[in-house]
Amino acid sequence: MIRVLCSLGPKGDMPDILIEQALYGFQPARGYRFLARSPGFAEEWLPVAEQLCAGFGERPRGVACPACLFVQPFGKHHIAVVQVADQGTGDGGQPSGLAFHFLILARSDYNRLGGDPFLIADKFPAPWTARRELPSLSWAGDLPPPRTLEQIQRVLQRPEDGPNLLGGSQILVDGGRLVFERPLPDTRLVHDLWTLLPTSTRCELWPASFAFANALGFHALVTPNAELDACTGYLRGEQAGDYPEGRYELNLQIAAESGDQGDLDALLARRSLKETWRLGLLLLGVCIVLAVLANLLLPVPGPGDRAPAPAKHNVPPVDHRVD
């Protein structure tokens, strides 16, 4: 299992984040097979990993997958950052085999790293040729720095996709889902989309810079066929720029154009939609509990506690006779 070192360094450094890894291979004639794993990659994780491999989908004829990445929850307490790439060719020189490199870390650690799977994958490239044994990995040192205005401005100024990525960020913040149709993986596209999202939203959504199918229900997906039944209800990323302007994308654009890093930091630190709902439900629950406690703790008036009836005064009748 993943272990987090609890001891702090001499300067009060954050505990190291330990990450377990595994490598799977796929050949059409042999199916999925385990190739290598680290000591902490638990035995019971193997079938879960194989299910995620299968959920990537069956390769459409002639479609290549030189390199891509996807993210999925891995049980209740872990996250899987999975790198995928072609391995070998079949008849006619067409790609056939695939390999899947799993990086498994605690959900809390994934949140500490800002919900940025691209940063994690860049730090730990896939060891495609490894067999049998892999080392446990460690993210030591500082956590990722906050995103800068320059990073946001670079994405918004993309001539071909800037407006669609800005509209796409609002769609995901609003709870919608996006699909981009591409013949090949587009990791840069999804990475830039992730750059625009609030950190709390990134930690709750699962992207794929490419997948042959959508059995895993990604929130943002690049696929060679966006007309899949599993993509019903998704908004096309190529048309996201036409999505009605929302408060988040407007404020993001204002912060980027005004050059205010403080406003940008506050915007990227905002609560996600799920967090807002959870907070509202928590406050409602607290109010209900307080009302119940008030009824239980306040004394119920008894017969002797009733207020005395007002005294009756005998008033002589008024004589209306005229002398």
Side-chain angles (χ1 to χ4, degrees), residues 5-314:
L5 304 181
C6 295
S7 60
L8 299 180
K11 296 182 180 180
D13 296 334
M14 294 293 292
D16 289 351
I17 295 173
L18 295 192
I19 301 173
E20 303 299 343
Q21 58 174 333
L23 197 62
Y24 272 78
F26 171 78
Q27 292 291 337
R30 304 175 62 182
Y32 296 96
R33 59 194 182 98
F34 159 73
L35 300 175
R37 62 171 166 165
S38 59
F41 197 95
E43 189 75 26
E44 59 267 25
W45 290 356
L46 295 177
V48 181
E50 186 171 327
Q51 289 174 6
L52 293 185
C53 294
F56 189 77
E58 184 177 347
R59 184 194 300 271
R61 184 172 179 79
V63 174
C65 181
C68 72
L69 172 152
F70 72 83
V71 185
Q72 281 286 290
F74 200 76
K76 293 183 179 180
H77 306 295
H78 298 89
I79 298 294
V81 177
V82 187
Q83 300 173 75
V84 190
D86 285 332
Q87 306 289 314
T89 57
D91 296 338
Q94 294 295 319
S96 59
L98 280 174
F100 299 81
H101 178 232
F102 283 79
L103 295 169
I104 307 297
L105 67 161
R107 185 183 289 263
S108 59
D109 289 333
Y110 183 74
N111 295 348
R112 287 172 59 198
L113 294 175
D116 189 344
F118 307 96
L119 183 70
I120 297 169
D122 286 345
K123 188 174 181 66
F124 302 111
W128 298 122
T129 59
R131 294 297 180 268
R132 296 181 63 86
E133 294 184 2
L134 289 169
S136 295
L137 303 171
S138 174
W139 184 296
D142 296 334
L143 297 177
R147 280 164 279 171
T148 65
L149 282 166
E150 290 74 16
Q151 291 174 308
I152 301 297
Q153 291 165 349
R154 175 188 60 79
V155 174
L156 297 182
Q157 291 168 3
R158 283 184 57 160
E160 69 281 14
D161 289 311
N164 289 334
L165 292 174
L166 182 60
S169 68
Q170 184 67 58
I171 290 171
L172 294 177
V173 166
D174 288 346
R177 300 191 180 216
L178 279 172
V179 59
F180 297 85
E181 186 169 291
R182 299 284 193 277
L184 290 169
D186 198 338
T187 298
R188 182 192 167 200
L189 175 76
V190 183
H191 177 276
D192 284 351
L193 176 62
W194 239 237
T195 300
L196 300 182
L197 292 177
T199 300
S200 59
T201 300
R202 299 199 309 186
C203 293
E204 297 174 348
L205 303 184
W206 318 124
S209 65
F210 199 63
F212 298 146
N214 192 30
L216 299 177
F218 298 106
H219 294 89
L221 166 68
V222 177
T223 184
N225 180 13
E227 302 301 327
L228 298 168
D229 290 342
C231 292
T232 301
Y234 281 60
L235 297 175
R236 295 290 291 262
E238 296 82 359
Q239 302 169 349
D242 298 327
Y243 186 74
E245 186 178 60
R247 180 177 297 180
Y248 177 75
E249 65 170 307
L250 175 62
N251 290 335
L252 184 64
Q253 192 167 16
I254 291 173
E257 292 175 354
S258 65
D260 193 319
Q261 183 68 45
D263 284 351
L264 177 64
D265 292 341
L267 195 60
L268 296 178
R270 59 171 276 172
R271 291 189 183 95
S272 69
L273 186 62
K274 287 184 179 180
E275 285 180 327
T276 302
W277 272 103
R278 283 196 293 264
L279 181 60
L281 292 174
L282 176 62
L283 292 176
L284 178 61
V286 169
C287 292
I288 292 174
V289 170
L290 291 177
V292 171
L293 290 176
N295 287 332
L296 293 175
L297 298 178
L298 291 179
V300 179
D305 296 329
R306 295 176 181 172
K312 294 183 179 180
H313 300 282
N314 294 322

